[in-house]
Amino acid sequence: MHSSAQLPTPTSRWEELTKIQPNPAQLDNIKAQLDLVLLALEALAGIGSEAMLQAAAQLNLESKIPDRVALWRLRQSNPLRKGEGGRKKLDVEEARSLVLISCYLAKQHQEVIRRAVALLEQVTYNNEPPHKAALLGDYIDAFSNTYQERMEEDENVSTDVLTQLALKLLIDLLFYSSAGGHRRLWLALLDRSK
């Protein structure tokens, strides 16, 4: 029989993971992915910067994200975003803070995420377009409109590509809203940034 002292706790595994130092190119990809995860949450659950700041406060992350300006600068650090001038660099602790906030909010809105994924399974099974389900149609439209409004490559991205991106992020959110979601998101960010 193993004693509990021999098994790593979820927190220690998270601490261990965050000791991995992504290189600058990986951090650029992580910035883009984190912003897209938050954009998907915004589009599906209607959350805004106020909910993100409240989550930061509840998670004791105010030192990293103290106000709306700091949050905006972190999100604006996404290299896909429109904007001129130098972009803020994202450090590992800031990336970690955004991961914790994203998963906290996903967990808070787990019910709507589950409902949307169930609808996606249903329309896929029936070979119907996702827009047939009102919740999915509203989500895809909100995601696509916000993406085109904020990102540089809006003229080059087709509606189909944005729909596929929105649906992929929706499925990802289901995993990030579960227990240990922050660990899954961090591992996915590291994996996708290679």
Side-chain angles (χ1 to χ4, degrees):
M1 185 173 170
H2 298 288
S3 73
S4 61
Q6 293 173 318
L7 299 173
T9 64
T11 302
S12 69
R13 282 185 270 151
W14 168 244
E15 296 296 329
E16 194 174 295
L17 276 177
T18 56
K19 288 179 183 169
I20 299 169
Q21 294 292 320
N23 63 43
Q26 283 181 302
L27 274 174
D28 271 352
N29 288 332
I30 287 172
K31 286 188 275 191
Q33 287 296 318
L34 278 173
D35 194 34
L36 290 175
V37 169
L38 286 170
L39 196 154
L41 270 169
E42 283 181 73
L44 182 66
I47 61 165
S49 57
E50 192 58 39
M52 295 176 200
L53 290 172
Q54 284 177 2
Q58 288 166 346
L59 294 167
N60 295 319
L61 298 171
E62 290 162 306
S63 64
K64 293 293 173 193
I65 306 172
D67 54 33
R68 217 175 277 274
V69 173
L71 176 62
W72 179 83
R73 291 185 70 209
L74 284 179
R75 300 219 36 211
Q76 196 66 20
S77 71
N78 174 359
L80 300 178
R81 286 249 188 174
K82 292 177 182 172
E84 295 182 15
R87 297 192 183 279
K88 185 193 179 313
K89 291 185 177 178
L90 182 78
D91 67 32
V92 174
E93 285 305 312
E94 290 167 334
R96 178 183 168 190
S97 299
L98 288 178
V99 165
L100 291 172
I101 289 169
S102 300
C103 293
Y104 180 85
L105 290 171
K107 194 167 191 173
Q108 279 189 333
H109 296 280
Q110 192 179 50
E111 189 272 331
V112 72
I113 294 169
R114 286 183 181 276
R115 196 158 28 104
V117 170
L119 285 169
L120 179 60
E121 287 174 342
Q122 186 180 339
V123 296
T124 301
Y125 179 79
N126 293 333
N127 202 24
E128 297 169 339
H131 276 89
K132 180 148 182 146
L135 177 63
L136 290 176
D138 290 346
Y139 163 65
I140 292 167
D141 289 346
F143 180 87
S144 298
N145 291 338
T146 308
Y147 186 97
Q148 289 177 331
E149 180 184 300
R150 295 182 187 170
M151 306 302 174
E152 285 281 358
E153 54 184 322
D154 56 340
E155 294 169 10
N156 302 325
V157 181
S158 71
T159 303
D160 286 345
V161 168
L162 284 178
T163 298
Q164 291 308 311
L165 178 60
L167 295 177
K168 183 194 177 320
L169 286 164
L170 171 64
I171 294 166
D172 289 348
L173 284 176
L174 182 64
F175 292 103
Y176 305 152
S177 70
S178 63
H182 58 287
R183 191 169 187 277
R184 288 180 188 198
L185 176 53
W186 187 248
L187 286 171
L189 290 170
L190 291 175
D191 189 50
R192 290 177 190 160
S193 66
K194 289 179 183 171

